[in-house]
Amino acid sequence: DTGVSQDPRHKITKRGQNVTFRCDPISEHNRLYWYRQTLGQGPEFLTYFQNEAQLEKSRLLSDRFSAERPKGSFSTLEIQRTEQGDSAMYLCASSLTSATEAFFGQGTRLTVV
Amino acid sequence: AQTVTQSQPEMSVQEAETVTLSCTYDTSESDYYLFWYKQPPSRQMILVIRQEAYKQQNATENRFSVNFQKAAKSFSLKISDSQLGDAAMYFCARQGAQKLVFGQGTRLTINP
């Protein structure tokens, strides 16, 4: 499978716990994006990477959120001290360049109880 | 702010008819790309059509075409001969040198 894969697909966690999601982009794609999406809304930009460099992080993102992309390959998104408001679908996408389409994974649905 | 606006939260169309989804955007860049993405109920986003801002010719992909008005910063999607499988959320997106930004989406319903 050469598409974008995300793991896990679903995560239920208790408030206050830390969670980490993983995204494996399409091989050789330089750009990797993380978005958050709530039901009926558009994807909300969180952060993006050009290779291993994190080029922009949304001001909406609190210090509880951190993302990495070591060696410019897979990426992880960690949420510390989760809150109920963090419940959402977290989408990862990758693209070859800024001029080409982004391919999306199936997302990780986070539920904070 | 460099935003993307979709003013139609919901649209419906009869099967085999034509429907147009609206999108406007804001950007300070001269070189950028515009996309329409489709998100079916399974929620995986897929590309419908892509337009380079430097091209005057409107992009077309089978039953899908766009009306790109650069001066007005407008980028609408026309779906001809609507099919039941077209039912989904449609998102307009703008890509410049930086991040890919999405609109709020339009839910399209196809009536048989």
Side-chain angles (χ1 to χ4, degrees):
Chain A
D1 185 13
T2 58
V4 178
S5 63
Q6 293 187 244
D7 183 69
R9 294 286 308 281
H10 303 274
K11 178 70 176 179
I12 300 174
T13 190
K14 291 184 179 179
R15 191 171 46 188
Q17 296 294 304
N18 299 344
V19 293
T20 299
F21 309 142
R22 176 179 170 124
C23 171
D24 286 273
I26 293 173
S27 179
E28 298 180 353
H29 274 195
N30 297 318
R31 286 208 167 196
L32 187 147
Y33 302 89
W34 284 100
Y35 292 89
R36 179 171 62 191
Q37 187 179 29
T38 52
L39 198 61
Q41 300 298 311
E44 178 184 38
F45 172 77
L46 294 179
T47 188
Y48 87 98
F49 294 84
Q50 177 76 29
N51 299 312
E52 67 274 12
Q54 187 175 18
L55 296 187
E56 186 172 346
K57 185 176 175 180
S58 169
R59 278 175 260 173
L60 299 174
L61 230 56
S62 73
D63 291 341
R64 298 184 295 106
F65 288 72
S66 63
E68 294 182 343
R69 192 184 182 194
K71 303 178 183 178
S73 55
F74 71 92
S75 176
T76 58
L77 177 69
E78 181 183 17
I79 309 174
Q80 297 181 327
R81 304 181 304 282
T82 53
E83 302 172 354
Q84 284 190 321
D86 297 331
S87 296
M89 177 74 83
Y90 290 82
L91 298 173
C92 176
S94 71
S95 66
L96 190 59
T97 70
S98 63
T100 57
E101 71 173 286
F103 290 84
F104 282 80
Q106 291 190 295
T108 294
R109 178 173 296 284
L110 173 66
T111 302
V112 182
V113 297
Chain B
Q2 303 205 5
T3 58
V4 177
T5 303
Q6 294 179 248
S7 59
Q8 306 152 316
E10 296 184 357
M11 291 283 284
S12 63
V13 63
Q14 289 295 125
E15 193 176 2
E17 295 296 308
T18 296
V19 64
T20 299
L21 309 184
S22 302
C23 172
T24 58
Y25 60 93
D26 184 24
T27 183
S28 56
E29 296 173 298
S30 58
D31 191 17
Y32 53 91
Y33 302 85
L34 298 165
F35 305 89
W36 277 98
Y37 283 87
K38 171 184 177 180
Q39 192 176 41
S42 66
R43 299 187 72 88
Q44 187 161 18
M45 199 89 71
I46 55 175
L47 180 71
V48 174
I49 198 164
R50 171 177 178 266
Q51 172 81 43
E52 296 91 339
Y54 62 83
K55 287 188 177 179
Q56 292 186 327
Q57 186 173 7
N58 290 325
T60 299
E61 286 288 340
N62 301 315
R63 297 183 295 108
F64 300 87
S65 62
V66 299
N67 183 3
F68 174 47
Q69 302 289 327
K70 190 171 184 178
K73 295 192 173 120
S74 170
F75 182 60
S76 61
L77 174 70
K78 185 171 82 171
I79 306 174
S80 303
D81 186 25
S82 298
Q83 300 176 359
L84 294 178
D86 295 333
M89 284 289 290
Y90 285 81
F91 294 99
C92 177
R94 180 196 55 77
Q95 169 78 67
Q98 304 300 323
K99 61 193 177 190
L100 178 63
V101 178
F102 286 85
Q104 288 296 92
T106 297
R107 181 178 301 280
L108 178 63
T109 302
I110 312 295
N111 300 314

